[in-house]
Amino acid sequence: MSDLGRVLRLDARRTALLVAVPVLTVVGTAAALPALCFSVAYWDNTVVALVNAVRFLGPVAAALAAWAAVRERPLDYLRDLTARSPATGVLFDLLLLSSAALASYAAITALVVAVTLAQAESGHPHPLGVIAGAGALVLHIVVGYLTGRVVPHRATAALAFGATSMWAALRIPGVSWWSLLPPAAFTRIDLFTALRPRVFADQVLWTAGLTAALILGYVLWATRRYLLVLPLAAALAATGGATVGLQGSGSGTVRAAPAQPVCRQWPVVICVHPALRDALPRLTAVVVPLAARLNGTPGAFTEVRQRPAWAPVSVVDGVASVHLDENLSPGFAAQAARQIGDALKDSRTCAADSSDGYRALVDAWLLGDDPPSIGDTGAARRFASLTEQQRRAWLRRHFVAYRTCGLGPGDFRPAQARRHHATDEARHSRGRTAGVPSTTRDSLRGRGGHPQPAAAT
């Protein structure tokens, strides 16, 4: 009988396992790596990539397990010749198939972790997330194999693949708590946030409970040992409790996760999330000229800090808060500079900007862009003729009008021209009141005015 067991084990190793390990490894790697092709390596997203990969890896594993079960079914008469329980062979096959699937999963995990370590990784690994993915994979093996045992037909493998694929297709990230049932689906985790470990704990409990319930149910059916009813009920209860826990999680799968920033101290203090440390050189090159041009104005800043997407962009007490593109796509630094420029606006007075492009002219200089075309070509020409120092002095004088979007053509005239313009306006005003009766002039000045003597005729 021991020789018979060795024959069965050798047969299992020669077929199902030799096929399962390479196939599962290739499929899992292809499913996980696209989620890591970003310039930012965040450990939460590494775990999410592994968990999401099981949605593609699981159906293939279920189909291979069902194929192995159907193929080994004709050898059951040999197992019936032994004195062992009829469930022993099934349990042994499940152990071998699960070991093969977990070996593939371990290879995928090692590759994904290596990709993360090769980049500027940040955050903290989540072992529970890796365990949750492994548990979901084993669950697919059990479902596929037991389906092949119960329905020993050639089409069973395709049936197992189709059913588990449909179940995986229902995993739409962020729609409802239903998507958290293994194999779970998570959206990409933003910086300054992290997955709640409670979600992974409930998923581990759910897969462990349901896997145990399926195995115990099959053994109970095959052996008629009704003492297994109690552990079966306990496994079902654990699955139900985990389901309630996942339902309670709902959309609250992510929590705020403060991170110790990485900073560059000179010439301006710039601090970003540690996963975006590669952004510091480019961000410094763009922000320093803007800080120099705003120096001496109420909008001056000496520090730039990256903030989460839900925090407002602002320039307060010399600190500019900005949002950064996590993928560091081209133009991310210029976009951060524009955010600072927009934060300098008074949202109440600039709701309907009537400055006819004068503010855009100043914005282009602050951000180092090409000057725009505006209707007042004279103002644009005069502003372009100023030196860098003259423009900074001009901005210090007109910053209030710039902030409130109240710039006008008079703000771009030279000081001497503005004085002549004011004198001409005063003369024109006096000319309009010449020859007007004194009583009328008094009414123009107000009731407190002093009438002048009438002109001699």
Side-chain angles (χ1 to χ4, degrees), residues 122-205:
S122 179
H124 304 283
H126 291 279
L128 272 179
V130 179
I131 296 174
L137 184 59
V138 172
L139 177 60
H140 280 82
I141 291 290
V142 173
V143 170
Y145 185 83
L146 294 184
T147 302
R149 296 291 301 181
V150 175
V151 187
H153 193 275
R154 292 180 180 273
T156 303
L159 176 63
F161 179 81
T164 52
S165 296
M166 289 296 295
W167 173 252
L170 296 175
R171 315 269 76 76
I172 301 176
V175 173
S176 69
W177 69 271
W178 186 264
S179 63
L180 297 178
L181 294 178
F186 296 101
T187 57
R188 183 170 173 82
I189 307 302
D190 296 329
L191 300 181
F192 300 102
T193 60
L195 288 167
R196 296 182 183 275
R198 172 66 184 275
V199 176
F200 290 133
D202 288 333
Q203 288 178 346
V204 170
L205 182 61

Side-chain angles (χ1 to χ4, degrees), residues 298-301 303 313-321 343-344:
F301 63 91
E303 186 173 349
V313 174
S314 62
V315 179
V316 179
D317 296 331
V319 178
S321 302
L344 297 175

Side-chain angles (χ1 to χ4, degrees), residues 413-422:
R413 294 192 181 97
Q416 184 178 1
R418 287 198 301 271
R419 286 196 297 270
H420 287 314
H421 180 74

Side-chain angles (χ1 to χ4, degrees), residues 66-409:
W67 169 69
V70 172
R71 186 186 180 285
E72 299 296 331
R73 192 73 167 82
L75 298 178
D76 282 351
Y77 75 95
L78 293 176
R79 286 170 172 164
D80 292 339
L81 297 177
T82 67
R84 296 177 182 177
S85 169
T88 302
V90 173
L91 296 177
F92 186 75
D93 288 343
L94 284 175
L95 178 61
L96 288 177
L97 290 170
S98 299
S99 300
L102 291 178
S104 301
Y105 186 75
I108 298 167
T109 302
L111 181 59
V112 170
V113 169
V115 171
T116 304
L117 291 174
Q119 304 179 65
E121 84 281 354
S122 179
H124 304 283
H126 291 279
L128 272 179
V130 179
I131 296 174
L137 184 59
V138 172
L139 177 60
H140 280 82
I141 291 290
V142 173
V143 170
Y145 185 83
L146 294 184
T147 302
R149 296 291 301 181
V150 175
V151 187
H153 193 275
R154 292 180 180 273
T156 303
L159 176 63
F161 179 81
T164 52
S165 296
M166 289 296 295
W167 173 252
L170 296 175
R171 315 269 76 76
I172 301 176
V175 173
S176 69
W177 69 271
W178 186 264
S179 63
L180 297 178
L181 294 178
F186 296 101
T187 57
R188 183 170 173 82
I189 307 302
D190 296 329
L191 300 181
F192 300 102
T193 60
L195 288 167
R196 296 182 183 275
R198 172 66 184 275
V199 176
F200 290 133
D202 288 333
Q203 288 178 346
V204 170
L205 182 61
W206 194 89
T207 53
L210 187 56
T211 301
L214 290 174
I215 294 175
L216 290 172
Y218 180 84
V219 173
L220 176 62
W221 174 73
T223 63
R224 301 297 191 272
R225 294 187 178 181
Y226 295 102
L227 290 177
L228 296 176
V229 171
L230 291 178
L232 175 60
L236 291 175
T239 303
T243 303
V244 173
L246 291 174
Q247 184 179 9
S249 298
S251 59
T253 57
V254 176
R255 59 180 175 84
Q260 185 65 30
V262 176
C263 298
R264 175 170 286 191
Q265 302 294 334
W266 189 88
V268 175
V269 178
I270 301 178
C271 298
V272 298
H273 191 279
L276 298 182
R277 58 175 63 91
D278 293 340
L280 286 174
R282 181 59 184 159
L283 196 59
T284 301
V286 172
V287 168
V288 168
L290 176 60
R293 288 163 181 166
L294 290 171
N295 186 33
T297 69
F301 63 91
T302 57
E303 186 173 349
V304 178
R305 286 189 172 272
Q306 180 191 1
R307 288 290 182 258
W310 62 83
V313 174
S314 62
V315 179
V316 179
D317 296 331
V319 178
S321 302
V322 298
H323 301 154
L324 290 183
D325 178 13
E326 294 183 11
N327 296 331
L328 299 183
S329 56
F332 74 91
Q335 181 62 31
R338 292 189 189 95
Q339 293 174 14
I340 296 174
D342 292 340
L344 297 175
K345 292 182 180 179
D346 189 329
S347 58
R348 294 171 299 177
T349 58
C350 291
D353 188 358
S354 59
S355 59
D356 295 330
Y358 294 113
R359 181 186 171 90
L361 188 65
V362 181
D363 284 338
W365 163 63
L366 287 175
L367 301 176
D369 296 336
D370 295 332
S373 298
I374 64 174
D376 191 347
T377 57
R381 186 172 57 255
R382 286 189 292 270
F383 190 74
S385 65
L386 299 178
T387 64
E388 180 70 18
Q389 296 302 322
Q390 288 173 336
R391 291 182 184 183
R392 295 182 185 182
W394 178 93
L395 182 61
R396 288 193 288 269
R397 293 194 305 269
H398 299 86
F399 187 81
V400 174
Y402 168 77
R403 178 190 287 274
T404 58
C405 298
L407 291 174

